Amino acid sequence: MSKLDLISKDAAQKLDLETKFTMIIDRVKKGTILVLEGGLSPEEQTGLINRVMMQIEFEEPSFAGVELISFFNDPSHSSFWRRSKRQLSFTVVAPSSTVKILRNDNEILSLLLKDSYPPT
Amino acid sequence: MNALTILSSLLGKKRKTVSIGFCGRVNAGKTTLANRIAMDLAGKKVGKVSSIPHETRETNKVEHIQLQFNGKNLDMTLVDLPGITTKIDYRKFMENHGLTKEESIQRAKEATRGVVEAIKMLDQIDIALVIVDSTKPPFDQIDLVIVGNLEAKGIPIIICANKIDLDEANPQLVEETFNSIHFVVPISALTGENIESLYKNIIIST
């Protein structure tokens, strides 16, 4: 069974960057899907990817990384340039072992949850 | 050292070297494009290419590649970066590519280090070629993260809509997605199709 946590913008803003990354990775490693209101900027996302790479495990059961998806406020603004101008609405971080992205086109994010990952 | 470099040295005039970074998702064709340019301009290769993901796990550099276009000359360092991803599962190398468990774990460990290195290197390039696989939808989060980071650093970006030699390629969609602010060049790194247009855009970006 998978768990989903929505982290409010206020709660996320109270955390410094390192604490935020630790909180995200700790939860995702336990099999939780996180939705971060307000989203992560591209710079924050590369910081998170860095830390995820350092946490990847090679023993069973292994943590193999994350799926990282950001959504934006105005779906009519479909161009990449406008998307990158931080009209971020929310960012989803999920364990890659439990989640498969079926559709992500700025209108619908569709995720398939798998049961192969054994959450602790 | 070529004649122009020697002459410049004798005159005490140092020519500017521009580092060109090849950035993007795993298996987008970064090394194939770097090899294409290096072979085309200098008759040498930058790195090894493979259908197994994460073949490039360390940054490869080739210095002093001379690009002459429309009367301008550019001294380039080609910097081929490992592919950036959010996940690396060593079991995929076993299941999909027949590697042993030991080989797969080793490759995965090196690949994680490669991703960290690639992100770090984004700070150290002068012009970024972001290689996008035009056979896939261009809304991948990794493309967004790479372009967003480069924009924040003020690094000029050229989007290379690669693999136009394949029937399923849709470079128009890549152009529609990115064209409002960045140069987009449909290209085949494999065949060299439209490489001249890329050279032109590199010169314009300097």
Short mmCIF file of all heavy atoms in Angstrom, two decimals, chain A residues 42-43 45-46 49-50 52-54 56-60 62 64-70 72 78-81 83-84 86 96-97 104-105, chain B residues 84-91 105 108-109 112 115-116 119 122 138-145 147-149 151-152 176-178 180-182:
data_model
loop_
_atom_site.label_atom_id
_atom_site.label_comp_id
_atom_site.label_asym_id
_atom_site.label_seq_id
_atom_site.Cartn_x
_atom_site.Cartn_y
_atom_site.Cartn_z
N PRO A 42 14.31 24.91 -10.43
CA PRO A 42 15.28 24.05 -11.11
C PRO A 42 16.57 23.87 -10.32
O PRO A 42 17.14 22.78 -10.28
CB PRO A 42 15.55 24.80 -12.43
CG PRO A 42 14.30 25.55 -12.69
CD PRO A 42 13.79 25.97 -11.33
N GLU A 43 17.04 24.94 -9.66
CA GLU A 43 18.27 24.83 -8.86
C GLU A 43 18.05 23.89 -7.66
O GLU A 43 18.92 23.08 -7.33
CB GLU A 43 18.72 26.20 -8.35
CG GLU A 43 19.12 27.17 -9.45
CD GLU A 43 17.99 28.10 -9.86
OE1 GLU A 43 16.83 27.64 -9.94
OE2 GLU A 43 18.26 29.27 -10.09
N GLN A 45 15.95 21.50 -7.61
CA GLN A 45 15.78 20.14 -8.14
C GLN A 45 17.14 19.50 -8.44
O GLN A 45 17.32 18.30 -8.20
CB GLN A 45 14.90 20.16 -9.38
CG GLN A 45 13.45 20.45 -9.03
CD GLN A 45 12.54 20.47 -10.24
OE1 GLN A 45 12.44 19.50 -10.96
NE2 GLN A 45 11.87 21.59 -10.47
N THR A 46 18.11 20.29 -8.95
CA THR A 46 19.44 19.69 -9.17
C THR A 46 20.09 19.35 -7.84
O THR A 46 20.79 18.34 -7.73
CB THR A 46 20.38 20.60 -10.00
OG1 THR A 46 20.32 21.91 -9.48
CG2 THR A 46 20.06 20.59 -11.45
N ILE A 49 18.54 16.13 -6.87
CA ILE A 49 19.07 15.02 -7.68
C ILE A 49 20.45 14.60 -7.18
O ILE A 49 20.76 13.42 -7.07
CB ILE A 49 19.11 15.40 -9.18
CG1 ILE A 49 17.69 15.59 -9.74
CG2 ILE A 49 19.84 14.33 -10.00
CD1 ILE A 49 17.63 16.22 -11.12
N ASN A 50 21.29 15.60 -6.87
CA ASN A 50 22.62 15.30 -6.31
C ASN A 50 22.53 14.40 -5.09
O ASN A 50 23.23 13.39 -4.98
CB ASN A 50 23.29 16.61 -5.87
CG ASN A 50 24.36 17.05 -6.84
OD1 ASN A 50 25.03 16.22 -7.43
ND2 ASN A 50 24.51 18.34 -7.00
N VAL A 52 19.98 12.59 -4.10
CA VAL A 52 19.38 11.29 -4.44
C VAL A 52 20.45 10.33 -4.97
O VAL A 52 20.51 9.16 -4.60
CB VAL A 52 18.23 11.46 -5.46
CG1 VAL A 52 17.85 10.14 -6.10
CG2 VAL A 52 17.02 12.10 -4.80
N MET A 53 21.33 10.86 -5.84
CA MET A 53 22.39 10.01 -6.42
C MET A 53 23.28 9.43 -5.32
O MET A 53 23.74 8.30 -5.40
CB MET A 53 23.24 10.81 -7.41
CG MET A 53 22.54 11.12 -8.71
SD MET A 53 22.10 9.63 -9.64
CE MET A 53 20.31 9.83 -9.76
N MET A 54 23.52 10.24 -4.29
CA MET A 54 24.40 9.78 -3.20
C MET A 54 23.70 8.74 -2.31
O MET A 54 24.35 8.05 -1.54
CB MET A 54 24.85 10.97 -2.36
CG MET A 54 25.78 11.90 -3.10
SD MET A 54 26.04 13.41 -2.18
CE MET A 54 26.84 14.45 -3.38
N ILE A 56 21.51 6.37 -3.54
CA ILE A 56 21.11 5.16 -4.28
C ILE A 56 21.83 3.93 -3.71
O ILE A 56 23.02 3.98 -3.42
CB ILE A 56 21.35 5.35 -5.80
CG1 ILE A 56 20.23 6.26 -6.34
CG2 ILE A 56 21.37 4.01 -6.54
CD1 ILE A 56 20.25 6.49 -7.82
N GLU A 57 21.06 2.86 -3.54
CA GLU A 57 21.58 1.66 -2.88
C GLU A 57 21.72 0.52 -3.88
O GLU A 57 21.00 0.46 -4.88
CB GLU A 57 20.62 1.25 -1.75
CG GLU A 57 20.52 2.30 -0.65
CD GLU A 57 19.26 2.13 0.20
OE1 GLU A 57 18.42 1.28 -0.14
OE2 GLU A 57 19.13 2.88 1.18
N PHE A 58 22.60 -0.39 -3.55
CA PHE A 58 22.87 -1.50 -4.46
C PHE A 58 22.67 -2.87 -3.78
O PHE A 58 23.12 -3.88 -4.27
CB PHE A 58 24.29 -1.36 -5.02
CG PHE A 58 24.52 -0.01 -5.66
CD1 PHE A 58 25.15 1.01 -4.97
CD2 PHE A 58 24.04 0.25 -6.94
CE1 PHE A 58 25.33 2.26 -5.54
CE2 PHE A 58 24.21 1.50 -7.52
CZ PHE A 58 24.86 2.51 -6.82
N GLU A 59 22.04 -2.84 -2.62
CA GLU A 59 21.69 -4.08 -1.92
C GLU A 59 20.17 -4.17 -1.88
O GLU A 59 19.49 -3.17 -1.94
CB GLU A 59 22.25 -4.08 -0.50
CG GLU A 59 23.77 -3.91 -0.41
CD GLU A 59 24.53 -5.07 -1.02
OE1 GLU A 59 23.98 -6.19 -1.04
OE2 GLU A 59 25.65 -4.86 -1.51
N GLU A 60 19.65 -5.39 -1.70
CA GLU A 60 18.20 -5.57 -1.64
C GLU A 60 17.68 -5.31 -0.23
O GLU A 60 18.34 -5.74 0.72
CB GLU A 60 17.85 -7.00 -2.05
CG GLU A 60 18.34 -7.40 -3.41
CD GLU A 60 17.62 -6.70 -4.56
OE1 GLU A 60 16.53 -6.14 -4.32
OE2 GLU A 60 18.13 -6.68 -5.66
N SER A 62 16.55 -2.26 -2.61
CA SER A 62 17.36 -1.09 -2.93
C SER A 62 16.50 0.12 -3.25
O SER A 62 15.39 0.00 -3.76
CB SER A 62 18.27 -1.41 -4.11
OG SER A 62 17.52 -1.56 -5.27
N ALA A 64 16.34 3.06 -5.70
CA ALA A 64 16.93 3.27 -7.02
C ALA A 64 16.74 4.69 -7.54
O ALA A 64 17.06 4.98 -8.68
CB ALA A 64 16.33 2.28 -8.01
N GLY A 65 16.20 5.58 -6.69
CA GLY A 65 16.03 6.96 -7.14
C GLY A 65 14.59 7.40 -7.11
O GLY A 65 13.73 6.73 -6.50
N VAL A 66 14.32 8.51 -7.77
CA VAL A 66 12.98 9.12 -7.68
C VAL A 66 12.42 9.46 -9.06
O VAL A 66 13.16 9.57 -10.03
CB VAL A 66 13.03 10.43 -6.83
CG1 VAL A 66 13.51 10.14 -5.42
CG2 VAL A 66 13.88 11.50 -7.49
N GLU A 67 11.13 9.61 -9.09
CA GLU A 67 10.47 10.29 -10.20
C GLU A 67 10.22 11.71 -9.71
O GLU A 67 9.80 11.91 -8.56
CB GLU A 67 9.14 9.63 -10.57
CG GLU A 67 9.26 8.22 -11.12
CD GLU A 67 9.86 8.15 -12.51
OE1 GLU A 67 10.11 9.22 -13.11
OE2 GLU A 67 10.11 7.03 -12.98
N LEU A 68 10.49 12.68 -10.56
CA LEU A 68 10.41 14.08 -10.17
C LEU A 68 9.58 14.81 -11.23
O LEU A 68 9.95 14.82 -12.40
CB LEU A 68 11.83 14.64 -10.12
CG LEU A 68 12.11 16.04 -9.64
CD1 LEU A 68 11.70 16.21 -8.18
CD2 LEU A 68 13.61 16.33 -9.76
N ILE A 69 8.44 15.35 -10.82
CA ILE A 69 7.56 15.99 -11.79
C ILE A 69 7.07 17.32 -11.22
O ILE A 69 6.60 17.37 -10.08
CB ILE A 69 6.31 15.13 -12.11
CG1 ILE A 69 6.70 13.69 -12.40
CG2 ILE A 69 5.53 15.72 -13.28
CD1 ILE A 69 6.31 12.71 -11.35
N SER A 70 7.18 18.39 -12.01
CA SER A 70 6.67 19.68 -11.57
C SER A 70 5.50 20.13 -12.42
O SER A 70 5.49 19.92 -13.64
CB SER A 70 7.78 20.74 -11.63
OG SER A 70 8.72 20.50 -10.61
N PHE A 72 2.59 23.36 -13.28
CA PHE A 72 2.60 24.82 -13.37
C PHE A 72 1.19 25.38 -13.30
O PHE A 72 0.22 24.69 -13.60
CB PHE A 72 3.30 25.23 -14.67
CG PHE A 72 4.72 24.78 -14.68
CD1 PHE A 72 5.05 23.47 -15.01
CD2 PHE A 72 5.73 25.63 -14.30
CE1 PHE A 72 6.36 23.03 -14.98
CE2 PHE A 72 7.03 25.20 -14.25
CZ PHE A 72 7.35 23.89 -14.59
N SER A 78 1.94 26.59 -22.50
CA SER A 78 2.56 25.28 -22.68
C SER A 78 4.01 25.36 -23.12
O SER A 78 4.69 24.36 -23.15
CB SER A 78 1.77 24.47 -23.70
OG SER A 78 1.75 25.15 -24.91
N SER A 79 4.49 26.57 -23.51
CA SER A 79 5.86 26.58 -24.01
C SER A 79 6.84 26.35 -22.87
O SER A 79 6.59 26.69 -21.72
CB SER A 79 6.19 27.89 -24.72
OG SER A 79 6.78 28.79 -23.82
N PHE A 80 7.94 25.77 -23.23
CA PHE A 80 8.96 25.42 -22.25
C PHE A 80 9.47 26.66 -21.54
O PHE A 80 9.70 26.67 -20.34
CB PHE A 80 10.11 24.75 -23.00
CG PHE A 80 10.98 23.95 -22.13
CD1 PHE A 80 10.71 22.61 -21.93
CD2 PHE A 80 12.07 24.51 -21.50
CE1 PHE A 80 11.52 21.85 -21.14
CE2 PHE A 80 12.89 23.75 -20.71
CZ PHE A 80 12.60 22.42 -20.53
N TRP A 81 9.62 27.74 -22.31
CA TRP A 81 10.14 28.98 -21.72
C TRP A 81 9.23 29.44 -20.61
O TRP A 81 9.67 29.73 -19.50
CB TRP A 81 10.26 30.03 -22.82
CG TRP A 81 10.47 31.42 -22.30
CD1 TRP A 81 9.63 32.48 -22.45
CD2 TRP A 81 11.59 31.91 -21.55
NE1 TRP A 81 10.15 33.58 -21.85
CE2 TRP A 81 11.35 33.27 -21.29
CE3 TRP A 81 12.76 31.32 -21.07
CZ2 TRP A 81 12.24 34.06 -20.59
CZ3 TRP A 81 13.65 32.11 -20.36
CH2 TRP A 81 13.38 33.46 -20.13
N ARG A 83 7.12 27.69 -18.97
CA ARG A 83 7.13 26.69 -17.90
C ARG A 83 8.32 26.92 -16.97
O ARG A 83 8.24 26.74 -15.78
CB ARG A 83 7.24 25.27 -18.48
CG ARG A 83 6.04 24.85 -19.24
CD ARG A 83 6.21 23.42 -19.70
NE ARG A 83 5.63 22.52 -18.74
CZ ARG A 83 5.87 21.22 -18.71
NH1 ARG A 83 6.69 20.69 -19.54
NH2 ARG A 83 5.30 20.47 -17.81
N SER A 84 9.45 27.33 -17.58
CA SER A 84 10.65 27.45 -16.77
C SER A 84 10.69 28.77 -16.00
O SER A 84 11.61 29.01 -15.25
CB SER A 84 11.89 27.32 -17.65
OG SER A 84 11.98 28.42 -18.50
N ARG A 86 9.08 29.65 -13.57
CA ARG A 86 8.70 29.43 -12.18
C ARG A 86 7.27 29.78 -11.85
O ARG A 86 7.00 30.36 -10.82
CB ARG A 86 9.62 30.24 -11.27
CG ARG A 86 11.05 29.98 -11.58
CD ARG A 86 11.77 29.50 -10.41
NE ARG A 86 13.17 29.54 -10.74
CZ ARG A 86 14.01 30.38 -10.20
NH1 ARG A 86 13.60 31.17 -9.25
NH2 ARG A 86 15.25 30.36 -10.56
N SER A 96 11.03 5.82 -7.51
CA SER A 96 10.92 5.31 -8.89
C SER A 96 10.50 3.85 -8.92
O SER A 96 9.93 3.40 -9.90
CB SER A 96 12.24 5.51 -9.63
OG SER A 96 13.26 4.78 -9.00
N SER A 97 10.77 3.12 -7.81
CA SER A 97 10.41 1.69 -7.80
C SER A 97 8.92 1.46 -7.68
O SER A 97 8.43 0.40 -8.03
CB SER A 97 11.09 1.00 -6.62
OG SER A 97 12.40 1.41 -6.50
N ASN A 104 2.27 12.86 -18.58
CA ASN A 104 2.68 14.12 -17.96
C ASN A 104 2.84 15.14 -19.07
O ASN A 104 3.86 15.22 -19.71
CB ASN A 104 4.01 13.94 -17.20
CG ASN A 104 4.56 15.27 -16.72
OD1 ASN A 104 3.81 16.21 -16.48
ND2 ASN A 104 5.88 15.35 -16.59
N ASP A 105 1.78 15.91 -19.34
CA ASP A 105 1.85 16.86 -20.44
C ASP A 105 1.36 18.24 -20.03
O ASP A 105 0.88 19.01 -20.84
CB ASP A 105 1.06 16.36 -21.65
CG ASP A 105 -0.39 16.09 -21.30
OD1 ASP A 105 -0.83 16.49 -20.21
OD2 ASP A 105 -1.09 15.48 -22.13
N ILE B 84 22.09 13.08 -17.39
CA ILE B 84 21.50 13.40 -16.09
C ILE B 84 20.17 12.64 -15.95
O ILE B 84 19.37 12.60 -16.89
CB ILE B 84 21.30 14.92 -15.94
CG1 ILE B 84 22.67 15.61 -15.94
CG2 ILE B 84 20.52 15.26 -14.67
CD1 ILE B 84 22.62 17.12 -15.87
N THR B 85 19.96 12.06 -14.79
CA THR B 85 18.74 11.31 -14.52
C THR B 85 18.40 11.42 -13.04
O THR B 85 19.23 11.88 -12.24
CB THR B 85 18.91 9.83 -14.93
OG1 THR B 85 17.67 9.13 -14.74
CG2 THR B 85 19.98 9.14 -14.10
N THR B 86 17.20 11.02 -12.69
CA THR B 86 16.79 11.03 -11.27
C THR B 86 16.80 9.63 -10.68
O THR B 86 16.50 9.45 -9.51
CB THR B 86 15.36 11.60 -11.13
OG1 THR B 86 14.47 10.79 -11.92
CG2 THR B 86 15.28 13.05 -11.58
N LYS B 87 17.09 8.62 -11.50
CA LYS B 87 17.02 7.24 -11.01
C LYS B 87 18.02 6.34 -11.75
O LYS B 87 18.23 6.51 -12.95
CB LYS B 87 15.60 6.70 -11.18
CG LYS B 87 15.09 6.79 -12.61
CD LYS B 87 13.66 6.34 -12.73
CE LYS B 87 13.24 6.27 -14.18
NZ LYS B 87 12.39 7.31 -14.65
N ILE B 88 18.61 5.43 -11.02
CA ILE B 88 19.50 4.44 -11.62
C ILE B 88 19.28 3.12 -10.89
O ILE B 88 19.59 3.00 -9.71
CB ILE B 88 20.98 4.87 -11.51
CG1 ILE B 88 21.23 6.19 -12.27
CG2 ILE B 88 21.91 3.76 -12.06
CD1 ILE B 88 22.59 6.80 -12.05
N ASP B 89 18.73 2.15 -11.60
CA ASP B 89 18.45 0.85 -11.00
C ASP B 89 19.38 -0.17 -11.68
O ASP B 89 19.21 -0.46 -12.87
CB ASP B 89 16.99 0.48 -11.23
CG ASP B 89 16.59 -0.78 -10.48
OD1 ASP B 89 17.49 -1.57 -10.10
OD2 ASP B 89 15.38 -0.99 -10.28
N TYR B 90 20.32 -0.69 -10.92
CA TYR B 90 21.32 -1.59 -11.52
C TYR B 90 20.67 -2.82 -12.15
O TYR B 90 21.20 -3.41 -13.10
CB TYR B 90 22.38 -2.00 -10.47
CG TYR B 90 21.94 -3.04 -9.48
CD1 TYR B 90 22.07 -4.40 -9.77
CD2 TYR B 90 21.36 -2.69 -8.26
CE1 TYR B 90 21.66 -5.37 -8.88
CE2 TYR B 90 20.95 -3.65 -7.36
CZ TYR B 90 21.10 -4.99 -7.67
OH TYR B 90 20.68 -5.94 -6.79
N ARG B 91 19.48 -3.22 -11.63
CA ARG B 91 18.82 -4.43 -12.14
C ARG B 91 18.40 -4.28 -13.61
O ARG B 91 18.28 -5.25 -14.34
CB ARG B 91 17.61 -4.76 -11.26
CG ARG B 91 18.02 -5.27 -9.88
CD ARG B 91 16.91 -5.24 -8.91
NE ARG B 91 16.50 -3.86 -8.61
CZ ARG B 91 15.85 -3.50 -7.50
NH1 ARG B 91 15.54 -4.40 -6.60
NH2 ARG B 91 15.51 -2.24 -7.31
N ILE B 105 26.16 -3.45 -11.05
CA ILE B 105 26.35 -2.62 -9.85
C ILE B 105 27.49 -1.63 -10.08
O ILE B 105 27.38 -0.45 -9.74
CB ILE B 105 26.60 -3.51 -8.61
CG1 ILE B 105 25.30 -4.23 -8.23
CG2 ILE B 105 27.11 -2.69 -7.43
CD1 ILE B 105 25.42 -5.23 -7.09
N ALA B 108 26.28 1.08 -12.35
CA ALA B 108 25.33 1.96 -11.65
C ALA B 108 26.06 2.89 -10.69
O ALA B 108 25.73 4.08 -10.60
CB ALA B 108 24.30 1.12 -10.90
N LYS B 109 27.05 2.36 -9.97
CA LYS B 109 27.82 3.21 -9.05
C LYS B 109 28.53 4.33 -9.81
O LYS B 109 28.50 5.49 -9.40
CB LYS B 109 28.86 2.36 -8.29
CG LYS B 109 28.25 1.52 -7.18
CD LYS B 109 29.34 0.74 -6.46
CE LYS B 109 28.72 -0.06 -5.32
NZ LYS B 109 29.69 -0.95 -4.66
N THR B 112 26.00 6.99 -11.00
CA THR B 112 25.55 7.96 -9.98
C THR B 112 26.59 9.06 -9.82
O THR B 112 26.25 10.24 -9.73
CB THR B 112 25.28 7.30 -8.62
OG1 THR B 112 26.47 6.66 -8.15
CG2 THR B 112 24.17 6.28 -8.69
N VAL B 115 26.37 11.48 -12.78
CA VAL B 115 25.27 12.46 -12.71
C VAL B 115 25.68 13.65 -11.84
O VAL B 115 25.48 14.82 -12.21
CB VAL B 115 23.98 11.81 -12.16
CG1 VAL B 115 22.89 12.86 -11.94
CG2 VAL B 115 23.47 10.73 -13.11
N VAL B 116 26.29 13.35 -10.70
CA VAL B 116 26.75 14.43 -9.79
C VAL B 116 27.76 15.31 -10.51
O VAL B 116 27.70 16.54 -10.44
CB VAL B 116 27.35 13.81 -8.50
CG1 VAL B 116 28.00 14.88 -7.64
CG2 VAL B 116 26.27 13.07 -7.71
N ILE B 119 26.10 17.60 -13.19
CA ILE B 119 25.41 18.76 -12.60
C ILE B 119 26.44 19.83 -12.20
O ILE B 119 26.24 21.01 -12.45
CB ILE B 119 24.56 18.31 -11.39
CG1 ILE B 119 23.36 17.49 -11.89
CG2 ILE B 119 24.08 19.52 -10.58
CD1 ILE B 119 22.57 16.81 -10.79
N LEU B 122 27.81 21.87 -15.14
CA LEU B 122 26.93 22.85 -15.78
C LEU B 122 27.39 24.28 -15.49
O LEU B 122 27.09 25.20 -16.24
CB LEU B 122 25.47 22.68 -15.31
CG LEU B 122 24.72 21.42 -15.74
CD1 LEU B 122 23.32 21.41 -15.15
CD2 LEU B 122 24.65 21.30 -17.26
N PRO B 138 9.07 16.18 -25.51
CA PRO B 138 10.11 17.04 -24.93
C PRO B 138 9.74 17.66 -23.58
O PRO B 138 10.33 18.65 -23.19
CB PRO B 138 10.27 18.13 -25.99
CG PRO B 138 8.94 18.22 -26.63
CD PRO B 138 8.31 16.86 -26.54
N PHE B 139 8.76 17.10 -22.90
CA PHE B 139 8.34 17.69 -21.62
C PHE B 139 8.98 16.97 -20.43
O PHE B 139 8.48 17.02 -19.33
CB PHE B 139 6.81 17.64 -21.48
CG PHE B 139 6.12 18.47 -22.51
CD1 PHE B 139 5.39 17.87 -23.52
CD2 PHE B 139 6.21 19.85 -22.49
CE1 PHE B 139 4.74 18.62 -24.48
CE2 PHE B 139 5.57 20.62 -23.45
CZ PHE B 139 4.83 20.00 -24.45
N ASP B 140 10.07 16.27 -20.69
CA ASP B 140 10.70 15.54 -19.61
C ASP B 140 11.24 16.51 -18.55
O ASP B 140 11.80 17.56 -18.86
CB ASP B 140 11.85 14.70 -20.16
CG ASP B 140 12.45 13.79 -19.12
OD1 ASP B 140 13.36 14.23 -18.39
OD2 ASP B 140 11.98 12.65 -19.02
N GLN B 141 11.08 16.12 -17.28
CA GLN B 141 11.50 16.98 -16.19
C GLN B 141 13.00 17.27 -16.23
O GLN B 141 13.44 18.36 -15.86
CB GLN B 141 11.13 16.32 -14.86
CG GLN B 141 11.27 17.22 -13.66
CD GLN B 141 10.29 18.38 -13.69
OE1 GLN B 141 9.21 18.25 -14.26
NE2 GLN B 141 10.67 19.51 -13.13
N ILE B 142 13.77 16.32 -16.68
CA ILE B 142 15.23 16.52 -16.73
C ILE B 142 15.58 17.66 -17.68
O ILE B 142 16.42 18.50 -17.38
CB ILE B 142 15.94 15.21 -17.15
CG1 ILE B 142 15.79 14.16 -16.04
CG2 ILE B 142 17.42 15.45 -17.44
CD1 ILE B 142 16.42 14.53 -14.72
N ASP B 143 14.93 17.70 -18.85
CA ASP B 143 15.18 18.80 -19.79
C ASP B 143 14.85 20.13 -19.13
O ASP B 143 15.59 21.12 -19.26
CB ASP B 143 14.33 18.63 -21.06
CG ASP B 143 14.75 17.42 -21.88
OD1 ASP B 143 15.93 17.04 -21.81
OD2 ASP B 143 13.89 16.86 -22.59
N LEU B 144 13.73 20.17 -18.43
CA LEU B 144 13.30 21.40 -17.75
C LEU B 144 14.31 21.82 -16.68
O LEU B 144 14.67 23.00 -16.58
CB LEU B 144 11.94 21.16 -17.10
CG LEU B 144 11.34 22.30 -16.27
CD1 LEU B 144 11.05 23.50 -17.14
CD2 LEU B 144 10.08 21.83 -15.56
N VAL B 145 14.78 20.87 -15.92
CA VAL B 145 15.75 21.17 -14.85
C VAL B 145 17.06 21.67 -15.45
O VAL B 145 17.62 22.67 -14.98
CB VAL B 145 15.99 19.90 -13.98
CG1 VAL B 145 17.18 20.09 -13.06
CG2 VAL B 145 14.75 19.58 -13.16
N VAL B 147 17.62 23.07 -18.49
CA VAL B 147 17.45 24.38 -19.11
C VAL B 147 17.23 25.46 -18.05
O VAL B 147 17.80 26.55 -18.13
CB VAL B 147 16.28 24.34 -20.13
CG1 VAL B 147 15.94 25.74 -20.62
CG2 VAL B 147 16.64 23.46 -21.32
N GLY B 148 16.45 25.15 -17.01
CA GLY B 148 16.21 26.12 -15.94
C GLY B 148 17.49 26.51 -15.23
O GLY B 148 17.72 27.68 -14.92
N ASN B 149 18.36 25.54 -14.98
CA ASN B 149 19.64 25.82 -14.34
C ASN B 149 20.55 26.67 -15.23
O ASN B 149 21.18 27.61 -14.75
CB ASN B 149 20.36 24.51 -14.00
CG ASN B 149 20.00 24.02 -12.62
OD1 ASN B 149 20.65 24.37 -11.65
ND2 ASN B 149 18.93 23.26 -12.52
N GLU B 151 19.65 28.66 -17.64
CA GLU B 151 19.07 30.01 -17.73
C GLU B 151 19.44 30.83 -16.50
O GLU B 151 19.80 32.00 -16.60
CB GLU B 151 17.54 29.92 -17.84
CG GLU B 151 17.05 29.54 -19.21
CD GLU B 151 15.54 29.29 -19.23
OE1 GLU B 151 14.93 29.26 -18.15
OE2 GLU B 151 15.00 29.12 -20.33
N ALA B 152 19.34 30.20 -15.32
CA ALA B 152 19.66 30.91 -14.07
C ALA B 152 21.11 31.36 -14.05
O ALA B 152 21.44 32.39 -13.45
CB ALA B 152 19.36 30.00 -12.88
N GLU B 176 8.40 23.85 -31.25
CA GLU B 176 7.24 24.54 -30.65
C GLU B 176 7.43 24.71 -29.14
O GLU B 176 7.01 25.69 -28.55
CB GLU B 176 5.96 23.73 -30.90
CG GLU B 176 5.45 23.82 -32.32
CD GLU B 176 4.41 22.72 -32.60
OE1 GLU B 176 3.87 22.16 -31.64
OE2 GLU B 176 4.18 22.44 -33.78
N THR B 177 8.07 23.74 -28.54
CA THR B 177 8.24 23.75 -27.09
C THR B 177 9.29 24.76 -26.64
O THR B 177 9.11 25.46 -25.66
CB THR B 177 8.64 22.34 -26.60
OG1 THR B 177 7.69 21.41 -27.10
CG2 THR B 177 8.67 22.26 -25.09
N PHE B 178 10.40 24.84 -27.37
CA PHE B 178 11.53 25.65 -26.90
C PHE B 178 11.77 26.94 -27.68
O PHE B 178 12.56 27.77 -27.26
CB PHE B 178 12.83 24.83 -27.02
CG PHE B 178 12.92 23.66 -26.09
CD1 PHE B 178 12.56 22.40 -26.53
CD2 PHE B 178 13.40 23.80 -24.80
CE1 PHE B 178 12.67 21.30 -25.69
CE2 PHE B 178 13.50 22.71 -23.96
CZ PHE B 178 13.14 21.46 -24.39
N SER B 180 10.56 29.75 -28.32
CA SER B 180 10.24 31.13 -27.98
C SER B 180 11.44 31.90 -27.46
O SER B 180 11.45 33.12 -27.49
CB SER B 180 9.11 31.17 -26.95
OG SER B 180 9.45 30.39 -25.84
N ILE B 181 12.48 31.21 -27.00
CA ILE B 181 13.62 31.93 -26.43
C ILE B 181 14.96 31.35 -26.84
O ILE B 181 15.94 32.08 -26.97
CB ILE B 181 13.49 32.02 -24.89
CG1 ILE B 181 14.50 33.02 -24.32
CG2 ILE B 181 13.63 30.65 -24.25
CD1 ILE B 181 14.23 34.45 -24.67
N HIS B 182 15.03 30.06 -27.10
CA HIS B 182 16.33 29.44 -27.40
C HIS B 182 16.39 29.00 -28.86
O HIS B 182 15.38 28.69 -29.48
CB HIS B 182 16.55 28.21 -26.50
CG HIS B 182 16.54 28.54 -25.05
ND1 HIS B 182 17.45 29.40 -24.49
CD2 HIS B 182 15.73 28.16 -24.04
CE1 HIS B 182 17.20 29.52 -23.19
NE2 HIS B 182 16.16 28.78 -22.90
#
